[in-house]
Amino acid sequence: MVTIALAGNPNAGKTTLFNALTGDNQFVGNWPGVTVERREGGWREDPSVRFVDLPGVYSLSPDTPEEVVTRRFLVEQRPDALLNLVDGTNLERNLYLTTQLLELGIPMVVAVNRADLLERRGQKLNRDLLSRRLGCPVVVLSAARGTGVAEAAQAAAAAARRGEPVKPAPLFPPRARRALEDVEILASDHLPAAGRAWYLVKLFEGDQAVDQALGVGLALRQRLEVVIAACERDLEDDREEIIAAGRYAFAGTLARRCLTRGQGGQSLSQRLDRLLLHRVLALPLLAVILLGMFWVSICLVGAGRRGPARRCGRGPGPFWAGSIWGWCRCWPTAWKSSPALPGSRRCWWTGWRLGWGQCWSFCPSWQRCSCV
């Protein structure tokens, strides 16, 4: 029996891929000790291959129940292979988890999902370059449409049968790599052969669960802290930030190099962002939107009421011309209704009084006063 774990970020399409691979031949339950759902099943084309759908996580830090379950399964049970599903439309964010999975030393295949959306946007993925930099096979698929699913499963099963561990690429700055080498020398008797790179990073970060699992005592931890503190002083940053910055820098650079962004096939959301966030047109568009909102609320909604508000909305021609014409007629109307007070001053005083009255109504002391 070959066990392949499906790992990836939330909403990357893992459950859709899992259903496409297993069909009705699946078991749904809970992981031991938690209420996180456990899903596993045999591959419909080869029942000897079993897929385990791990909870969606962003990292392998034990901060949430989903991360605890995923980390425990990968580190303690160590499946025969990993099928890491990444969202091609958010490649940089998804590759952050990929850098951590590579350090486990488990045979691994990266499957880039939502290939149909990439084509629709005019984007092209350099799969060969991504495979070379990650050091593992890369397949492209669309779990929703079912294209490339069989190819991903076959690649993962082949990687499991070969049993060749993945060698992670260098992610961190030279000073951090030297510190990791010193940590490896100090803790060489405690480090297992499987997943050695992942354990080194966790020792550098000061993960207490890893210290307990490896039997790192107080004396060894103090010597490790001397090495880690020197690295923090040299890089002027916290240990966890050093590791995270290295991962994000690697993921960002790789995503930019492997994904060619097209201009002709942008989505509606991207086109709206380019227009509404334009450095020149953004503020005029905001003014037009606000004026339109006030016009709808005052001249359309308020037009059904009797009185000056209704008279101010009247006018010939289109709505904008009628609004301007109506506002121009407001001043003579206000002047005639109160000859003692000029129209402009009267309109200003009325607006000021009503506006401040509305604001003052939210004051707690005003609401508590029953005499007003």
Side-chain angles (χ1 to χ4, degrees):
M1 179 68 72
V2 175
T3 302
I4 300 175
L6 295 179
N9 287 19
N11 302 319
K14 285 191 304 80
T15 302
T16 304
L17 176 62
F18 178 79
N19 293 333
L21 291 171
T22 60
D24 297 332
N25 185 23
Q26 58 180 261
F27 168 78
V28 180
N30 287 338
W31 293 90
V34 293
T35 58
V36 180
E37 189 178 70
R38 176 190 178 103
R39 300 166 60 93
E40 61 180 81
W43 186 18
R44 60 175 64 188
E45 297 186 10
D46 186 359
S48 64
V49 178
R50 182 174 67 103
F51 287 95
V52 179
D53 184 15
L54 297 177
V57 295
Y58 293 106
S59 69
L60 296 182
S61 300
D63 297 329
T64 65
E66 291 78 10
E67 292 173 349
V68 172
V69 166
T70 300
R71 168 170 155 165
R72 185 178 301 168
F73 179 83
L74 295 177
V75 173
E76 297 179 2
Q77 301 188 25
R78 295 190 65 82
D80 298 310
L82 260 173
L83 183 55
N84 175 215
L85 191 66
V86 301
D87 183 0
T89 60
N90 293 287
L91 189 60
E92 179 179 351
R93 183 181 65 184
N94 284 244
L95 287 177
Y96 182 83
L97 176 64
T98 304
T99 60
Q100 301 178 61
L101 298 176
L102 291 171
E103 295 170 349
L104 294 172
I106 301 174
M108 180 169 152
V109 174
V110 173
V112 182
N113 192 21
R114 298 189 171 97
D116 53 335
L117 294 181
L118 293 179
E119 294 178 359
R120 191 181 307 169
R121 296 179 180 181
Q123 297 176 328
K124 184 178 179 181
L125 178 69
N126 191 337
R127 187 170 64 174
D128 295 334
L129 177 59
L130 184 61
S131 178
R132 289 198 304 269
R133 292 301 307 272
L134 295 179
C136 64
V138 174
V139 297
V140 179
L141 58 88
S142 175
R145 296 189 175 184
T147 57
V149 173
E151 180 185 358
Q154 293 169 1
R161 294 187 176 98
R162 289 194 304 267
E164 298 177 359
V166 179
K167 185 178 180 181
L171 308 177
F172 312 112
R175 181 63 183 88
R177 291 202 296 268
R178 291 197 302 270
L180 288 172
E181 293 174 356
D182 295 337
V183 170
E184 184 177 11
I185 294 174
L186 293 174
S188 58
D189 296 336
H190 299 266
L191 292 171
R196 195 178 186 91
W198 183 80
Y199 281 107
L200 275 176
V201 173
K202 291 303 173 183
L203 287 177
F204 182 86
E205 292 178 338
D207 194 308
Q208 296 182 358
V210 171
D211 284 358
Q212 295 177 359
L214 298 181
V216 176
L218 180 60
L220 177 57
R221 171 46 65 183
Q222 290 177 348
R223 286 186 290 172
L224 294 177
E225 287 297 323
V226 173
V227 175
I228 299 170
C231 180
E232 289 178 330
R233 286 194 303 269
D234 293 342
L235 295 179
E236 298 180 351
D237 208 344
D238 181 73
R239 63 189 70 185
E240 295 183 355
E241 294 296 330
I242 294 173
I243 298 299
R247 297 190 192 279
Y248 278 120
F250 176 82
T253 302
L254 185 58
R256 288 189 295 271
R257 293 183 59 185
C258 294
L259 193 60
T260 303
R261 302 185 180 274
Q263 297 294 331
Q266 291 185 338
S267 64
L268 177 61
S269 177
Q270 291 176 325
R271 292 195 294 267
L272 289 176
D273 286 343
R274 292 188 60 189
L275 178 63
L276 297 177
L277 300 179
H278 194 273
R279 63 175 61 187
V280 177
L281 300 177
L283 291 179
L285 287 174
L286 176 62
V288 171
I289 293 173
L290 292 178
L291 289 175
M293 179 182 65
F294 283 115
W295 179 85
V296 169
S297 60
I298 296 174
C299 296
L300 288 185
V301 179
R305 301 180 59 185
R306 298 179 180 271
R310 184 177 181 181
R311 293 195 300 269
C312 290
R314 293 179 178 176
F319 73 92
W320 55 269
S323 299
I324 296 175
W325 175 255
W327 282 111
C328 292
R329 292 180 57 193
C330 276
W331 305 107
T333 302
W335 181 274
K336 294 178 181 178
S337 62
S338 180
L341 188 63
S344 59
R345 291 167 56 189
R346 182 177 183 276
C347 289
W348 177 86
W349 168 252
T350 303
W352 182 88
R353 178 174 56 84
L354 294 177
W356 275 103
Q358 291 291 332
C359 296
W360 190 253
S361 65
F362 291 97
C363 181
S365 60
W366 179 273
Q367 295 176 357
R368 287 196 300 269
C369 182
S370 59
C371 60
V372 178

